[in-house]
Amino acid sequence: MKSLLRVVVAISAAIFISSACSDEDAYYLTVSPLSVHFTAKGGAEEITVSSNGYWTYQWNDKIPDWVGVDITSTGLRITVDENTDKSSRTAFLLIFKSVESLQDTFKTVMVEQWGENE
């Protein structure tokens, strides 16, 4: 009977300790803004990335030759070349947590540029 009581107490303690963990222990990733828009002239915009863990980025499709990305101390700097075409162009950048983590946290940023006549 004493051993059963010890098991119950041990399980109760484990449940209490695991439930006492704060939300600060959970992985988070915030990205702002989730879309950036450029005129045909191009330019640069800042994307703020906040996380309590490692994060990285990749393009949703092939790497567009008209967009540059630099990591900054607060997130990413998106630089877009001039668009001399008449049509607009769009690319999607995925910002996600480390692949070592078990959580599936990612954000998609739309990079859009209007064409010369828009």
Side-chain angles (χ1 to χ4, degrees):
M1 185 69 151
K2 283 185 175 182
S3 62
L4 178 61
L5 181 59
R6 287 183 185 154
V7 170
V8 170
V9 169
I11 291 173
S12 298
I15 291 171
F16 175 76
I17 290 170
S18 66
S19 66
C21 294
S22 69
D23 287 341
E24 294 175 11
D25 295 335
Y27 184 88
Y28 71 88
L29 175 69
T30 57
V31 177
S32 180
L34 291 176
S35 63
V36 288
H37 307 276
F38 297 90
T39 65
K41 291 183 180 184
E45 291 286 338
E46 297 285 331
I47 303 290
T48 301
V49 179
S50 179
S51 173
N52 62 344
Y54 175 78
W55 60 270
T56 190
Y57 72 91
Q58 73 179 35
W59 291 101
N60 188 40
D61 200 6
K62 65 178 185 165
I63 300 172
D65 60 355
W66 51 276
V67 181
V69 179
D70 294 306
I71 296 176
T72 68
S73 62
T74 58
L76 298 172
R77 180 173 173 84
I78 310 291
T79 307
V80 173
D81 296 337
E82 182 178 7
N83 185 1
T84 56
D85 292 341
K86 293 183 180 178
S87 59
S88 61
R89 51 193 181 184
T90 304
F92 294 93
L93 185 65
L94 302 176
I95 300 172
F96 56 96
K97 62 172 181 26
S98 171
V99 289
E100 288 86 26
S101 176
L102 297 176
Q103 299 176 358
D104 294 322
T105 303
F106 72 93
K107 305 292 182 185
T108 302
V109 175
M110 180 177 71
V111 179
E112 181 179 45
Q113 184 179 29
W114 294 286
E116 191 172 70
N117 295 331
E118 298 178 300

